């Protein structure tokens, strides 16, 4: 089982094989994360590819992606495991008429069959048998400090004690990616545990590469105009600036409409791909729109 | 590969790993780390060790990789990147990275201090000498005939308080603050007198009795605090009130976890950390030093714009209550103020405007600034005396329960 990722260049190449364009800082972060066995903390604007990279890494490493979506109120039960009480109770009823010794019944009741494994436990037990999985902990800022403290424990030891079963320990560490939208500060201890990367909006060249790679049918002229447009839009004052995800949606739409270049009517009609707020769409109209398109 | 069998890397083994030529590289990384720590980055011994190990994995002759390997370890926030870049240039330029590492020998002095002097937020244990316990009422003022001291204090305008009254008010604020901004969350916790049945616990317990439900366990929603953002106008016209309101804000921060505080006059400054760590007197001193324009004129719109473009983008969401404390005297463009208020209002759960001038019975919000802003506030409240703060806390409690 290869756990080595070779060089930084190799990482970039392999990511590109799966159509993810990573710059050197991303590749370096992944490289060191593997070498040091530390989790990665990704912060950045919405739609720049934080979650995406975890998915692609799972493909690159040829392993499962286990995803823990964080939300307010997420606690250990939802993240770790839970016993299937209803099933256990039914089994008790069924066993009432058998003559099996009590210890045997108890052992059955508290076995894998009745254990509902949630993402963190899944990640730890998977790492015992197969290629260690990629564990994506998405939008950690939506959970709270208590959960962070708990997560920190898990990420430090990669072992979990289930009172009825024992201690389950990961033979190898999963590849952990934590993402955050910065709606609050993550606590220091967790940040210390991770390697950190801030993902900004891409440069024109990078975005052009992304668009060309992910949308094979697109002509370079259109791709260039789209990227120009997006670069300009991001420097203007909108309520919610669009991310790379929006660029790709828009480009796909324009290709489907068989456009080879931008024109004001089409742009106005497809603004919904780029802006998701009414005021923003309204702002991009009329003269402003025409001028912007002409400048691309 | 079970990690716990590996011994923690020692300095010697790290240095050995890096090869004879890199003899002083690790020491330099340590010094560099201390330098960063002094500039506020959270650089622990663990991170330094990781950084050294990282350097062992890369091609040291590539300056870009060298930079990245250090940055990925030492920086833990976007805001630190600029500081890191500056320090990196200052420290490593003389080494002429990229050439043979000949410049590295002999340039480091004795190893820098390796103590992990991590700043700790003593949230649970601030020096609250000024914030005595609520039981300290014995030393209170002599009784005034017919009125309790608290009632008198409640309606007296802040700007006319004496030192003793200030102390008394602080005690009251300490009592109010914990009740503020509680909010029901999805989390539950076991409670014998709770409202809802705790199915999980009850079922578990019933296993003991072969599945019969003999006893019910109860649970109640855990109280969770709302997120508060406070924006305090500290310009000249607000002088008398702002020093008092800062104390109120200080009290809030001591009691609650999720409070972020900013002050503004012509510029916006985040003061959450100052108010959190020190005792009140030094907090105010610190504030006075970093907030350069305590008594200048105000441009509320510009300050809000700074906030909305900057920290506000990520701090304010549908769970946040934003409290703006200002008298509305604005020298800036009312159009800007209105726009920014609108933006903020849309993002936040509720937007409250506290105006000390509302204390005067004859006050009408006639100035352009206030008029522009009013349509975008959810609550417009006075903030000139204790009574108004008590009412504020009641408003917040209602909001929290909503």
């Amino acid at each position: 089982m290869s756990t080595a990722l070779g060089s930084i260049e190799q990482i970039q190449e392999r990511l590109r094989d799966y159509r993810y364009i990573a710059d050197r800082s991303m590749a370096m972060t992944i490289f060191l994360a593997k070498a040091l066995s530390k989790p990665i903390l990704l912060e950045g604007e919405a739609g720049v590819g934080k979650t995406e990279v975890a998915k692609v890494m799972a493909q690159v490493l040829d392993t499962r992606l286990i995803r823990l979506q964080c939300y307010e109120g997420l606690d250990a039960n939802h993240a770790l495991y839970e016993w299937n009480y209803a099933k256990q109770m039914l089994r008790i009823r069924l066993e009432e008429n058998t003559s099996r010794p009590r210890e045997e019944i108890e052992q059955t009741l508290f076995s894998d069959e009745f254990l509902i494994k949630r993402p963190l436990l899944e990640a730890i037990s998977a790492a015992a048998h197969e290629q260690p999985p990629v564990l994506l902990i998405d939008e950690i800022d939506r959970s709270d400090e208590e959960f962070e403290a708990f997560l920190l424990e898990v990420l430090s030891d990669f072992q979990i004690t289930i009172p009825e079963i024992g201690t389950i320990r990961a033979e190898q560490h999963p590849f952990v990616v934590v993402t955050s939208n910065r709606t609050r500060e993550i606590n220091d201890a967790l940040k210390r545990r991770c390697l950190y990367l801030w993902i900004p909006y891409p440069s024109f060249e990078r975005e052009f590469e992304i668009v060309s790679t992910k949308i094979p049918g697109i002509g370079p002229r259109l791709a260039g105009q789209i990227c120009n447009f997006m670069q300009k839009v991001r420097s203007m004052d909108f309520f919610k600036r669009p991310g790379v995800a929006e660029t790709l949606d828009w480009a796909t739409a324009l290709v489907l409409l068989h456009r080879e270049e931008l024109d004001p009517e089409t742009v106005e009609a497809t603004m919904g791909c780029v802006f998701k707020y009414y005021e923003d769409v309204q702002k991009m109209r009329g003269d402003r729109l025409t001028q912007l398109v002409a400048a691309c | 590969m079970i990690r716990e069998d590996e011994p923690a890397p020692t300095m010697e083994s790290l240095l050995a790993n890096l090869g004879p030529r890199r003899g002083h590289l690790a020491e330099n990384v340590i010094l560099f780390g201390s330098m960063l720590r002094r500039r506020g980055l959270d650089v622990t011994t663990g991170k330094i060790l990781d950084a050294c190990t990282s350097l062992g994995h890369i091609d040291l002759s590539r300056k870009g990789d060298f930079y990245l390997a250090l940055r990925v370890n030492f920086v833990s926030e976007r805001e630190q990147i600029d500081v890191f870049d500056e320090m990196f240039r200052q420290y490593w330029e003389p080494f002429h990275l990229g050439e043979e590492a000949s410049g590295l020998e002999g340039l480091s002095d004795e190893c820098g201090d390796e103590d992990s002097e991590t700043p700790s937020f003593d949230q649970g244990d601030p020096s609250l000498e000024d914030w005595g316990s609520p039981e300290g009422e014995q030393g209170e003022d002599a009784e005034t005939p017919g009125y309790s001291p608290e009632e008198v204090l409640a309606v007296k305008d802040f700007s006319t308080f004496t030192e003793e009254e200030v102390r008394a008010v602080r005690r009251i604020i300490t009592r109010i603050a914990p009740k503020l901004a509680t909010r029901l969350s999805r989390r539950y916790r076991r409670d014998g007198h709770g409202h809802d049945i705790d199915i999980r616990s009850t079922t578990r317990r019933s296993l003991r009795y072969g599945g019969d439900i003999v006893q019910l366990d109860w649970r109640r929603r855990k109280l969770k605090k709302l997120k508060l953002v406070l924006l305090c106008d500290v310009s000249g016209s607000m002088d008398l009130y702002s020093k008092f309101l800062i104390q109120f804000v200080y009290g809030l921060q001591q009691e609650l976890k999720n409070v972020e505080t900013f002050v503004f006059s012509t510029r916006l400054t985040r003061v959450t950390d100052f108010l959190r760590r020190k005792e009140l007197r030094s907090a105010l001193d610190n504030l006075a030093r970093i907030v350069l324009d305590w008594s200048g004129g105000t441009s509320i719109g510009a300050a809000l714009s700074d906030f909305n473009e900057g920290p506000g983008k990520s701090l304010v969401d549908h769970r946040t209550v934003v409290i703006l404390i200002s008298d509305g005297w604005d020298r800036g463009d009312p159009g800007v103020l209105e726009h920014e208020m609108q933006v903020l209002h849309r993002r936040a759960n509720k937007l409250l405007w506290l105006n000390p001038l509302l204390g005067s019975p004859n006050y009408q919000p006639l100035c352009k600034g206030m008029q522009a802003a009013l349509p975008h506030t959810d609550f417009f409240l006075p903030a000139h005396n204790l009574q108004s703060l008590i009412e504020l806390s009641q408003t917040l409690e209602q909001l929290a329960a909503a």
Side-chain angles (χ1 to χ4, degrees):
Chain A
M1 258 178 282
S2 148
T3 53
L5 277 176
S7 67
I8 300 175
E9 287 79 17
Q10 257 187 306
I11 294 177
Q12 278 180 300
E13 262 177 55
R14 303 216 50 206
L15 287 172
R16 190 174 273 120
D17 286 342
Y18 291 98
R19 307 208 287 175
Y20 186 93
I21 310 297
D23 62 20
R24 202 164 177 92
S25 59
M26 172 70 85
M28 169 69 76
T29 311
I30 294 174
F31 177 74
L32 290 178
K34 242 337 182 148
L36 298 171
S37 215
K38 271 179 114 163
I40 298 180
L41 173 60
L42 296 178
E43 283 189 339
E45 311 279 1
V48 292
K50 305 188 287 291
T51 308
E52 197 51 36
V53 72
K55 295 183 187 167
V56 176
M57 276 312 292
Q59 293 180 296
V60 167
L61 293 173
D62 192 25
T63 181
R64 293 163 61 193
L65 171 72
I66 296 178
R67 180 180 189 159
L68 174 62
Q69 174 65 56
C70 296
Y71 55 88
E72 195 191 323
L74 175 65
D75 59 19
N77 284 102
H78 293 126
L80 209 43
Y81 72 91
E82 194 162 0
W83 287 110
N84 192 341
Y85 298 116
K87 197 171 174 187
Q88 283 173 324
M89 269 178 21
L90 281 177
R91 178 60 71 90
I92 292 177
R93 293 283 187 201
L94 289 173
E95 296 275 5
E96 252 165 22
N97 297 324
T98 70
S99 52
R100 281 176 60 191
R102 207 176 134 238
E103 293 79 30
E104 224 187 283
I105 300 181
E106 244 185 73
Q107 269 208 336
T108 324
L109 281 182
F110 292 107
S111 67
D112 260 16
E113 195 189 336
F114 297 89
L115 182 65
I116 304 176
K117 288 189 191 170
R118 298 254 154 86
L120 291 183
L121 179 56
E122 258 199 84
I124 291 178
S125 36
H129 310 293
E130 339 156 348
Q131 175 84 295
V134 170
L135 173 61
L136 167 63
I137 301 173
D138 213 9
E139 298 186 300
I140 183 121
D141 52 317
R142 286 173 60 185
S143 69
D144 57 23
E145 283 185 30
E146 272 185 60
F147 181 75
E148 266 181 42
F150 162 75
L151 184 64
L152 194 56
E153 271 187 62
V154 173
L155 291 183
S156 302
D157 309 321
F158 282 108
Q159 79 181 27
I160 287 170
T161 302
I162 301 179
E164 296 81 5
I165 290 187
T167 304
I168 303 181
R169 207 173 52 182
E171 301 295 314
Q172 303 170 81
H173 288 188
F175 184 83
V176 182
V177 177
V178 182
T179 70
S180 163
N181 291 317
R182 295 203 85 197
T183 56
R184 64 175 180 85
E185 285 299 312
I186 308 299
N187 91 55
D188 286 341
L190 187 57
K191 285 200 278 198
R192 261 178 232 154
R193 188 81 190 79
C194 303
L195 295 179
Y196 177 85
L197 186 64
W198 166 263
I199 307 182
Y201 289 123
S203 64
F204 172 82
E205 290 78 15
R206 179 74 37 171
E207 197 159 24
F208 184 83
E209 217 188 326
I210 295 174
V211 171
S212 311
T213 309
K214 295 209 87 142
I215 303 176
I218 196 166
R221 178 166 165 72
L222 180 60
Q225 284 189 317
I226 291 176
C227 293
N228 253 322
F229 190 92
M230 294 308 271
Q231 290 292 321
K232 290 186 161 54
V233 159
R234 286 189 195 122
S235 67
M236 290 157 67
D237 173 30
F238 288 100
F239 190 66
K240 178 110 203 286
R241 285 184 296 179
V244 180
E246 282 73 43
T247 312
L248 291 172
D249 278 349
W250 193 35
T252 312
L254 292 173
V255 166
L256 280 174
L257 292 171
H258 301 295
R259 291 291 182 268
E260 308 244 326
E261 57 178 25
L262 294 182
D263 63 88
E265 290 85 33
T266 315
V267 171
E268 188 161 336
T270 52
M271 266 300 96
C273 297
V274 175
F275 294 113
K276 313 291 177 179
Y277 282 90
Y278 181 69
E279 289 83 1
D280 288 343
V281 173
Q282 291 300 98
K283 267 193 207 164
M284 186 51 73
R285 275 194 187 292
D287 283 339
R288 201 174 190 195
L289 182 81
T290 327
Q291 278 166 8
L292 189 52
V293 171
C296 287
Chain B
M1 184 181 37
I2 299 171
R3 273 203 105 210
E4 60 196 61
D5 288 336
E6 283 175 23
T10 60
M11 226 44 233
E12 289 70 37
S13 67
L14 282 172
L15 291 172
N17 275 337
L18 296 171
R21 251 186 323 196
R22 322 295 183 200
H24 295 274
L25 180 58
E27 291 164 10
N28 277 294
V29 173
I30 295 171
L31 280 178
F32 180 55
S34 320
M35 220 167 115
L36 290 174
R37 199 185 297 145
R38 266 182 292 239
R39 288 296 297 267
L41 270 67
D42 181 29
V43 176
T44 59
T45 315
K47 281 194 178 182
I48 295 183
L49 288 175
D50 283 339
C52 291
T53 315
S54 304
L55 292 179
H57 279 102
I58 65 166
D59 176 2
L60 287 172
S61 66
R62 297 187 65 153
K63 181 175 181 183
D65 285 1
F66 184 83
Y67 162 82
L68 280 177
L70 290 183
R71 194 183 83 184
V72 144
N73 276 288
F74 287 144
V75 166
S76 54
E77 261 172 49
R78 178 201 188 177
E79 285 72 26
Q80 295 170 353
I81 296 180
D82 288 334
V83 174
F84 177 88
D85 286 353
E86 193 194 315
M87 294 287 105
F88 183 88
R89 262 192 302 272
Q90 272 187 33
Y91 193 91
W92 297 101
E93 273 315 293
F95 288 76
H96 302 296
L97 296 165
E99 304 165 7
E100 287 297 313
S102 52
L104 290 173
E105 274 89 71
L107 272 176
S108 66
D109 299 324
E110 8 123 17
C111 286
D113 41 274
E114 268 169 300
D115 58 308
S116 349
E117 191 205 330
T118 44
S120 60
F121 288 102
D122 38 26
Q123 278 184 1
D125 177 35
S127 318
L128 291 176
E129 50 175 90
D130 291 346
W131 295 80
S133 66
E135 282 78 77
E137 314 280 30
Q138 288 99 18
E140 192 92 298
D141 308 293
E143 293 174 41
T144 39
Y147 298 94
S148 76
E150 286 196 19
E151 274 173 6
V152 170
L153 283 178
V155 295
K156 202 167 165 193
D157 196 302
F158 283 160
S159 55
T160 62
F161 271 41
T162 64
E163 265 303 306
E164 272 203 53
E165 287 166 332
V166 165
R167 271 197 291 275
V169 168
R170 279 188 212 160
R171 281 196 285 272
I172 299 173
I173 290 180
T174 318
R175 276 209 300 270
I176 299 176
K179 294 194 203 141
L180 283 182
T182 54
R183 184 190 186 211
L184 301 178
S185 78
R186 288 198 224 169
R187 270 185 188 267
Y188 285 85
R189 61 152 196 201
R190 288 268 299 283
D191 184 337
H193 303 289
H195 235 331
D196 306 318
I197 297 178
D198 183 344
I199 293 286
R200 193 179 278 146
S201 179
T202 303
T203 317
R204 234 217 130 99
R205 197 185 280 275
S206 78
L207 286 177
R208 230 183 267 167
Y209 305 104
D212 293 328
I213 294 182
V214 168
Q215 185 179 341
L216 289 173
D217 283 332
W218 298 87
R219 65 181 182 177
R220 183 170 78 163
R221 289 207 150 155
K222 217 172 185 177
L223 296 180
K224 193 189 156 202
K225 321 277 168 89
L226 203 65
K227 271 193 340 182
L228 281 188
V229 168
L230 296 158
L231 303 171
C232 263
D233 183 343
V234 294
S235 62
S237 55
M238 284 287 294
D239 223 357
L240 289 168
Y241 298 101
S242 62
K243 297 221 163 66
F244 209 106
L245 292 166
I246 292 288
Q247 291 174 10
F248 171 61
V249 158
Y250 177 82
L252 274 188
Q253 274 207 212
Q254 295 299 333
E255 300 292 331
L256 308 175
K257 280 196 194 149
N258 292 338
V259 179
E260 288 281 338
T261 312
F262 297 78
V263 298
F264 67 89
S265 177
T266 51
R267 268 176 286 173
L268 185 78
T269 319
R270 178 176 178 267
V271 298
T272 313
D273 293 339
F274 287 96
L275 294 181
R276 194 185 280 156
R277 293 206 254 170
K278 317 274 186 174
E279 40 167 74
L280 185 57
R281 204 112 288 154
S282 45
L284 287 180
D285 285 341
N286 272 334
L287 274 188
R289 249 178 275 140
I290 55 149
V291 177
L292 300 175
D293 40 12
W294 269 102
S295 300
T298 331
S299 175
I300 310 180
L304 283 185
S305 173
D306 280 348
F307 178 74
N308 284 333
E309 291 299 302
K313 251 202 176 98
S314 42
L315 275 182
V316 176
D317 62 21
H318 62 281
R319 285 182 302 135
T320 317
V321 169
V322 178
I323 303 181
L324 178 59
I325 310 178
S326 168
D327 55 11
W329 284 110
D330 185 29
R331 291 205 194 144
D333 175 4
V336 173
L337 175 57
E338 169 155 23
H339 173 75
E340 298 302 329
M341 284 292 289
Q342 186 182 28
V343 168
L344 188 53
H345 189 214
R346 292 255 312 280
R347 280 199 191 131
N349 185 332
K350 293 282 181 232
L351 179 51
L352 278 61
W353 188 303
L354 298 190
N355 191 330
L357 296 180
L358 268 182
S360 331
N362 298 325
Y363 172 72
Q364 297 269 3
L366 290 176
C367 60
K368 285 216 191 84
M370 267 331 302
Q371 294 218 310
L374 270 182
H376 303 290
T377 55
D378 294 299
F379 293 93
F380 184 50
L381 300 169
H384 61 298
N385 62 19
L386 195 58
Q387 185 59 33
S388 55
L389 289 183
I390 293 173
E391 280 163 14
L392 169 66
S393 73
Q394 285 164 353
T395 308
L396 284 176
E397 258 180 289
Q398 282 166 18
L399 282 182

